Every structure is written in structure tokens, then in C-alpha cells.
Amino acid sequence: MNSPGNHIGLLFAVLGAVGFSFKAILIKLAYPYGVDAVTLLALRMGFSLPFFLALGWHDQRSRKPEPMGRRDIGLMLGLGLTGYYLASYLDFLGLQYISAALERLILFAYPTLVVVLSALFLGKRITRRAMGSIALCYAGIALAVAHDLHVAGDMHDVLIGGGLVFASAVSYALYLMGNGQAVGRLGAARVTAWASTAACLLCLAHFALTRPLGLLIQPAPVMLLAGAMALFSTVLPVWMVSEAIRRMGAGPVSLIGTLGPVVTLFLGWLILEEPIGLFQILGGVLVVAGVVLVGKRG
């Protein structure tokens, strides 16, 4: 029998997947106002920073954990660098060149990258199932790239944008590998709060070193979109997915997360008027199938 907790967990998992998927749409809506990737990312992370600090403060008060040593602080900086800083920066750059739907499909291949990187750096064997999932994912991405090339007609932009987003996926996969090691020792809330805080500070430092501070004053639509990105595509999804995992377990939540590319494909068509083609639909099906396959046990 399903408990109310499971129903709430299911709702949080779906809303979290939708929230993460909506990020690319908000970024694409902001770019026509002339804002650049570094400034938009700084606004997003600046708006998010108070929420992550509050999460860290709440975790400190409720659990009263041991103070973090230098190694732990260095780990939080490393996770912040590879996670929400570098992965987000490369993703924001890539979205200047490619559609939101293609961005989400490339980014969504990160579980296969975790498998490959774990084999390279941790000596873990790649199973036949993992090989099959990798083949499905990259066949799907190839079909989606072919669709974007046909629509955009500019191979240069599609290849640059796709390469940047793929690099973002690699950075996020490295973050996940380090995150798994850190959570076991420090706890999920603590790692999320302080690694995300480190990422916010890195994004703001990048802006301060490369842009005049006056650029933080943007037209009202950009500020609203950045605020929505911080709340609905950063802070709330992070909390909702964590809460869903607590109620349902990581396996079901990961499967629900496969809604992401489908949601972005639909929202890109509905809001951005991005065309949907057969190659893109087939590509999305293959990528989702590959991720579901790599997530299965046994």
C-alpha cells in the first residue's frame, strides 16, 4: 500500500525534475536582453547564496556536527568548483549556441560519464549493460545533433555549443563522484549547503574579476528570470529531490528524473518555439533508455 509520504515524495521528485529542466528555458529567455553568461550566472548564484547559507546554518544547529577540517574545506571547494560553478558556467556558455532540448539531452548523459570516469580513475569494470547504455545515449545525442544541424544550418555553432555542454556534463560527473565520497562522511545537507555556497562564491568572484560591478544592474525581466532560476531551478529542486530521496529512495527518484529531457523538449517547443523533429524525439527516447539502463542493478 502506498503511504502519503510516498505520494509526497513522488510529487517532489516530479517537481524537482521539472524545475531542473526549466533552467535552460529561463536562460534562453534572458539572453535576448543582452546579458552575458558570466553576469547571468552571477545573478543566479547571488540570489541562491542566502538559501544555501541558511541550509548550512540549519544543519549546524540541528545536528551539531564536528567542525570541518582543512581537508573537508578543500573538498567543499573542489566540489563547488566542478559542480555548480564550472558545470554551470560551461552550460550557460553552451546555451548561447544550441537549443534547450539538445542541451538537456547532452547534459543528461552524465550517468554514463560517471561509469566511464569511474573505470578510468577508480578501476571499476564497465559491464556489458553499461556499454549498451553508453551506446544508446550517444546514438540518441547524435540523432539530436543531426536535428539541430538540419534546423540551424550552422555546424560551427552546434559543435561549439554541444562541446561546451558535454564538457559541463563531464564536470558534473566528476562532482558526483566526489560528492558520493563526501556525503558518506559529512551528510547530504552539509555537503549540499557548503559545496553550493563555495560554487556561489566562485561564480561571484569570476564576475568581480572579469566584469564591471555595474553589470549586476540588469533590466527587470533579466532580474526576474535570474531570481526564478535561483528559486525554481536551483534551490527548490535541490531540496525537493533530497526530500524525495529521503521518502522514496534514490532508485525511484533517479527514474523519475528521466522526465527531464522530455519536459525540456516540450517547454522548448511551447515557450521558445523550438521545432520538434522525428530525429529529436527518437534521440530523446534513446538517451532516456540509456540512462534508465545504466541505473538498473543486477
Side-chain angles (χ1 to χ4, degrees):
M1 230 174 128
N2 288 330
S3 68
N6 280 345
H7 291 310
I8 295 171
L10 176 63
L11 177 63
F12 282 167
V14 171
L15 289 177
V18 171
F20 282 131
S21 301
F22 205 61
K23 180 197 67 177
I25 308 299
L26 295 170
I27 293 170
K28 297 289 273 187
L29 287 172
Y31 278 151
Y33 291 96
V35 64
D36 67 278
V38 173
T39 304
L40 186 59
L41 182 57
L43 288 170
R44 173 206 184 190
M45 300 309 264
F47 287 138
S48 303
L49 180 57
F51 294 97
F52 290 126
L53 288 172
L55 176 61
W57 175 79
H58 178 266
D59 179 68
Q60 186 71 30
R61 287 202 58 177
S62 59
R63 291 199 306 121
K64 294 183 172 53
E66 290 291 321
M68 288 192 291
R70 288 183 182 178
R71 182 187 167 200
D72 294 329
I73 293 171
L75 182 58
M76 293 304 102
L77 286 171
L79 291 175
L81 176 67
T82 56
Y84 285 110
Y85 167 61
L86 189 56
S88 293
Y89 176 53
L90 293 168
D91 186 39
F92 274 53
L93 288 178
L95 276 164
Q96 295 177 120
Y97 298 95
I98 60 174
S99 67
L102 178 57
E103 176 263 2
R104 184 52 42 177
L105 285 175
I106 295 173
L107 206 58
F108 198 66
Y110 69 84
T112 65
L113 291 170
V114 172
V115 171
V116 173
L117 292 171
S118 295
L120 288 174
F121 297 116
L122 303 179
K124 293 187 178 180
R125 188 173 65 90
I126 300 180
T127 64
R128 287 184 180 180
R129 173 177 288 170
M131 289 294 291
S133 74
I134 291 168
L136 282 174
C137 276
Y138 293 105
I141 290 171
L143 285 174
V145 167
H147 170 270
D148 267 41
L149 282 173
H150 176 72
V151 171
D154 189 338
M155 181 178 291
H156 181 262
D157 279 3
V158 173
L159 292 180
I160 287 179
L164 286 165
V165 174
F166 184 77
S168 170
V170 172
S171 183
Y172 189 64
L174 289 170
Y175 161 78
L176 287 177
M177 289 172 66
N179 183 275
Q181 313 256 338
V183 164
R185 288 194 305 107
L186 302 173
R190 198 178 195 191
V191 171
T192 298
W194 299 120
S196 300
T197 294
C200 291
L201 295 175
L202 287 167
C203 291
L204 293 171
H206 184 171
F207 173 84
L209 291 171
T210 60
R211 302 289 189 277
L213 292 179
L215 276 182
L216 288 176
I217 302 173
Q218 291 288 327
V222 173
M223 302 299 281
L224 288 172
L225 288 166
M229 210 183 303
L231 184 60
F232 299 115
S233 295
T234 308
V235 175
L236 284 178
V238 165
W239 176 78
M240 285 182 187
V241 169
S242 296
E243 189 65 16
I245 290 172
R246 185 179 71 82
R247 293 170 182 268
M248 300 172 62
V253 174
S254 296
L255 288 176
I256 292 165
T258 59
L259 287 169
V262 179
V263 170
T264 305
L265 186 68
F266 173 73
L267 291 175
W269 168 78
L270 181 68
I271 298 172
L272 303 176
E273 299 182 353
E274 293 181 350
I276 297 177
L278 179 60
F279 276 11
Q280 201 173 40
I281 294 170
L282 289 174
V285 170
L286 289 176
V287 171
V288 169
V291 171
V292 170
L293 184 62
V294 83
K296 285 191 174 182
R297 302 290 180 191

